[in-house]
Amino acid sequence: MNFDLSEDQQVIKRTAREFLGARYKLEEVRRLALEEERGFTDAQWEEIAGLGWPELAVAESGLGIVELAVVAEELGYACAPTPLPSTWAAALLLDAAGDAERLSGGRRGTVAQWDEDTDGAPDRPTLGDDLRGVKIAVPDAAAADLLVVTADGGRHFVVDAADVEIEPAETLDTTRRLYTVTLDGPAADELTGDAAAFSRAWHAIAVMTAAESVGLAQRAMEMAVAYAKDRTQFERPIGSYQAVSHACAQMLLEVEGARSAVLWAAWALDHEPHTAAMATNIAKAYASDCGARVTASALQVHGGIGFTWEHDLHFFLKRAQANAHAYGDARWHRDELAAALFD
Amino acid sequence: VRGWLEANHPGPTPEGDEAGFEFRRAWQRKLNERGWAGLSWPEQYGGSGATLFEQAIFSEELARASAPQMANTLGLTMGGPTVIGHGTDEQKERYLAPILSADEIWCQGFSEPQSGSDLASLKTKAVRNGDEWVVTGQKVWTTMAHQAKWCMLLARTDPSAAKHRGLTYFLMDMEQDAVEIRPLRQITGEAEFNELFIEEARIPDENIVGGENNGWAVAITTLMHERAGLAFALQVSVQIALRELLERARESGADRDPIMRQRFAQLYAEAQVLRLTAYRGLTKLQAHGAPGPEGSLGKWHWAEVNQSLTELALDLAGPRAQLVDDPWTYRYLRARANSIEGGTTEILKNIVAERVLGLPRAQ
């Protein structure tokens, strides 16, 4: 029994850390987040596609959800603005229907999940099968070639991005563009596959997002610890005060816990399907809370400077908070978990 | 293991100190016949040489079967490993077998009334007199003192040295008049712990473990073993208690209350995270050989989770929480000590901050 990453997985992690660290320095993250229209450049996407990362979500790649989670955590660590996660989400659902080749050749996709009148439950879309209505908070839609659209009765349709109206939304997290998508009965193909396969895809999407939040929290913690060593007040580094050092220790407890939960869920999706649902609910609930709390606590450790626009911490805080509410929030995942425990 | 446990489970532990103790002693002997009392100890010392993972799985099985505790917990998890790690061949020969058979029970004499978190400031002193030592002082929070034959005693042997450097780790015979045991009544009403009043007790030279004035290093390994070993077993008992509580929620209908459902789900998630982090800790321990400061995270987290669990149990009891008619009242009160015993949560946070995160020392 081994509860650590394998050699190969560690190589993937190191490669991703180095690549993303070189391409997404915080100045570049800031530039993409605040100035670049779609939040990324074609050159960046081509390089990512060249690494084969979009195919990580596809079973045919021979890699699993653990590898996907490893790279997703590094995307969070870098706070990289990229349409890779939204493309992964679409690819996972397409793959559940045996339709993954729709995204071959570096094409991008996304998932339109939230209806305008959503009650917050990701598994209860209200859009009718005529596909007339509005989806909100659709990530990277303007950069996507196709959209997977959820509809009433748990159905999934694929539509061409050119056949729907896509309007940019103002977002909490500027490192990920969100759009309002208006559908007026576009041409669509329904995805067909067994319910268990779709369910697995949704779980993998939640785990991917949770993994990203772990990376965001890890980096925010490192920033806080570095600052606590460096910043002096009352002639002492603030990290020597227990009010500060214990806050940092708390961050480590939560980050390590969230990472454990995410890796377990990813592993279960690859190897132990009967525990995967519960493990996913735990991972997404725990990592959502962890991401939001750790980034907020890191801001507190930074004091006033952490509240400024020039400091980079707010990108992490906002993305962690946005992630916490994407693909089912902590409360919804706990509800699902409670149903598994009690009902 | 699971089949054997089903066939050999001795039933519920009887009430009362003496009866409970004899029951647990018999249980330990039964396990020891199969080499399972010292599962992780090397075979040459009567153990089974099991890996940490085998040990962890075994603890999970014991907990799953709601098996009783063994009688000589401190000897098995702290005393034995310390003798194996730091003791002489003669000491290994003399002490290890009776620990396993529970013929000789061990207790721990570390904390003192004025030395809790700042353990190295302890004042109990040992003065050499020929080939023996004369010990005087006071110890507190000593479990099993009245059953114990041996006390792992930390005493000051060089008052002129820096506080961590002048300590020696002794094995003190409890069967002497110079050691007076007074039960210490705790908030649960029972006396699980004792105070020791030591007035010129005698300890022969050969009962030093790890060398004169080297007691701090020896004690630290003991504490690390305590955290690594117990942390695993403790997280298992959390899983068991949680299962029991889930059943109770179903019976009472609280499982239909949305707030209770959220709390149960949160606690269930925390308990799973505790288990997973314990396994990740074991993986690391297996790879690096010695328990590291990360063990502190597990112990700290366990205390929080176990306390939340017992608080949830009282909330589940509603108005009946005012009465003492159910084991959860005891568990709730007992859990208050979880964040104090074996290193307070504050000290554990210091260890994590300083030794894992590399923050400057608190002043």
Side-chain angles (χ1 to χ4, degrees), chain A residues 2 7 9 12 14 32 46 116 130-132 167 180 190 196 203 218 223 265 267 304 307 310-311 333 339:
Chain A
N2 185 20
E7 288 283 324
Q9 288 159 350
I12 292 174
R14 274 199 302 276
L32 292 169
E46 276 158 29
E116 231 176 354
D130 58 350
L131 301 187
R132 289 178 199 279
E167 285 293 321
T180 304
E190 180 164 8
H203 290 143
Q218 172 75 34
M223 290 162 85
W267 177 86
F307 186 65
E310 301 123 79
H311 201 280
H333 281 280

Side-chain angles (χ1 to χ4, degrees), chain B residues 294-316:
Chain B
E294 293 85 358
S296 301
L297 272 181
K299 196 281 169 172
W300 154 25
H301 192 206
W302 164 75
E304 277 189 2
V305 174
N306 201 45
Q307 288 176 348
S308 310
L309 184 77
T310 62
E311 287 156 15
L312 181 57
L314 288 205
D315 290 346
L316 206 55

Side-chain angles (χ1 to χ4, degrees), chain A residues 149-163:
Chain A
V149 179
T150 60
D152 190 28
R155 297 165 72 183
H156 302 85
F157 294 90
V158 186
V159 305
D160 196 303
D163 295 338

Side-chain angles (χ1 to χ4, degrees), chain A residues 113-127 134-137 325:
Chain A
Q113 177 175 33
W114 303 109
D115 298 282
E116 231 176 354
D117 62 349
T118 180
D119 63 356
D123 61 342
R124 282 201 297 273
T126 56
L127 184 71
V134 175
K135 291 283 189 181
I136 60 165
H325 294 88

Side-chain angles (χ1 to χ4, degrees), chain A residues 1-3 229 236 240 242 246 248-250 256-257 260 264 286 331 334-335 337 339 341-343, chain B residues 57 246 250 255 261-262 265-266 268 270 273 276-277 280 283 300 346 349-350 357-358 361-363:
Chain A
M1 212 180 323
N2 185 20
F3 282 77
K229 289 176 186 173
R236 287 161 55 180
S240 68
Q242 288 171 320
H246 287 190
C248 294
Q250 179 71 35
E256 288 299 335
S260 298
W264 176 48
Y286 203 88
R331 187 180 54 157
R334 280 194 295 265
D335 272 344
L337 177 57
L341 293 174
F342 286 126
D343 302 339
Chain B
I57 290 164
L246 283 163
R250 272 186 219 105
D255 65 329
R261 287 169 75 90
Q262 283 283 315
Q266 179 63 29
Y268 190 87
E270 293 277 0
V273 165
L276 296 163
T277 307
R280 279 181 62 211
T283 304
W300 154 25
E346 287 73 16
K349 286 181 180 177
N350 283 350
L357 296 176
R361 268 187 84 80
Q363 289 160 15

Side-chain angles (χ1 to χ4, degrees), chain B residues 94-249:
Chain B
R94 165 66 188 84
Y95 295 107
L96 295 176
I99 292 178
L100 292 174
S101 63
D103 287 334
E104 291 178 353
I105 301 299
W106 286 45
C107 67
Q108 185 197 52
F110 282 13
S111 295
E112 297 182 4
Q114 300 304 320
S115 303
S117 289
D118 184 10
L119 181 62
S121 71
L122 61 85
K123 294 186 189 68
T124 293
K125 63 170 200 251
V127 180
R128 185 188 279 283
N129 180 18
D131 55 4
E132 64 176 11
W133 295 77
V134 180
V135 182
T136 298
Q138 191 183 343
K139 294 288 176 181
V140 73
W141 304 120
T142 313
T143 40
M144 315 273 306
H146 44 295
Q147 278 111 356
K149 166 71 176 167
W150 296 109
C151 177
M152 302 170 252
L153 184 91
L154 209 49
R156 189 162 303 283
T157 38
D158 183 358
S160 63
K163 66 179 181 178
H164 294 83
R165 302 197 184 281
L167 303 174
T168 299
Y169 191 108
F170 292 97
L171 303 180
M172 179 176 75
D173 191 339
M174 293 289 284
E175 291 172 5
Q176 50 182 315
D177 293 341
V179 180
E180 188 198 340
I181 302 165
R182 285 188 210 161
L184 186 62
R185 200 162 182 216
Q186 65 214 48
I187 67 166
T188 55
E190 54 164 19
E192 176 190 357
F193 302 98
N194 303 277
E195 290 178 284
L196 297 187
F197 294 85
I198 308 165
E199 192 61 49
E200 300 194 346
R202 309 282 157 160
I203 305 179
D205 212 24
E206 69 258 24
N207 285 23
I208 289 177
V209 182
E212 191 177 331
N213 294 329
N214 190 35
W216 184 251
V218 178
I220 286 294
T221 37
T222 309
L223 288 171
M224 292 286 194
H225 273 287
E226 181 187 29
R227 269 165 219 160
L230 285 183
F232 203 89
L234 292 172
Q235 71 82 15
V236 179
S237 65
V238 165
Q239 319 292 337
I240 307 297
L242 183 53
R243 269 203 312 246
E244 199 181 303
L245 213 53
L246 283 163
E247 192 48 46
R248 185 173 281 218

